Amino acid sequence: QGPLVESGGGSVQTGGSLKLSCDGSRYPNSRYCLAWFRRAPGKERLGVASMDSDGYIRMRDSLRGRFTLSKERANNTLYLQMNNLQPDDTAMYYCAARDQLNCPLQSANAEAYYQFWGQGIHVTVSA
């Protein structure tokens, strides 16, 4: 098992909510960036939200107001609260980490900057 483990995915109806967790307690570095990415069926993987070890948060512009990122410091767990879910949110969601405070998220090929990835977790939103 790698240093990042996702949980909390599942299936909901449109308008529902889910909270994803990324257990980063085994991630060894003290200065880092944790992030959520997602890959919808047939599409590229895109950044959703990120937080560095100083607590600075970035959120994909199109998801502001519906998605919220938080972290439990004690066990280094990153949470993604997703509200008012829509069918377009259906995707595999991945937790990722990199050993720098700069957290690329919306730039082209942002995923290439992250060295560690979780296995991914399914989120399905039905109409």
Side-chain angles (χ1 to χ4, degrees):
Q1 196 175 46
L4 303 172
V5 180
E6 304 101 333
S7 62
S11 298
V12 296
Q13 293 186 324
T14 298
S17 297
L18 282 173
K19 187 173 185 178
L20 305 184
S21 300
C22 173
D23 178 359
S25 60
R26 288 175 293 279
Y27 191 74
N29 290 39
S30 61
R31 294 175 71 78
Y32 57 85
C33 182
L34 287 177
W36 285 101
F37 282 73
R38 71 182 186 184
R39 187 195 304 273
K43 297 188 178 181
E44 62 182 337
R45 187 156 56 183
L46 298 176
V48 173
S50 67
M51 183 187 293
D52 65 26
S53 49
D54 289 342
Y56 185 77
I57 294 174
R58 292 175 173 82
M59 179 69 67
R60 178 165 285 277
D61 293 338
S62 60
L63 300 176
R64 290 179 193 279
R66 295 195 299 122
F67 287 20
T68 305
L69 194 68
S70 61
K71 187 171 74 172
E72 185 174 333
R73 279 183 171 271
N75 56 16
N76 203 32
T77 297
L78 189 70
Y79 299 103
L80 182 67
Q81 177 68 46
M82 306 185 293
N83 297 327
N84 191 22
L85 283 162
Q86 303 297 311
D88 284 348
D89 295 316
T90 294
M92 181 77 87
Y93 284 72
Y94 298 89
C95 185
R98 72 183 303 240
D99 299 340
Q100 307 232 4
L101 289 185
N102 181 25
C103 302
L105 189 71
Q106 300 185 90
S107 57
N109 206 28
E111 64 173 318
Y113 291 91
Y114 292 81
Q115 297 101 328
F116 301 98
W117 291 86
Q119 292 296 310
I121 194 163
H122 284 284
V123 170
T124 302
V125 185
S126 56

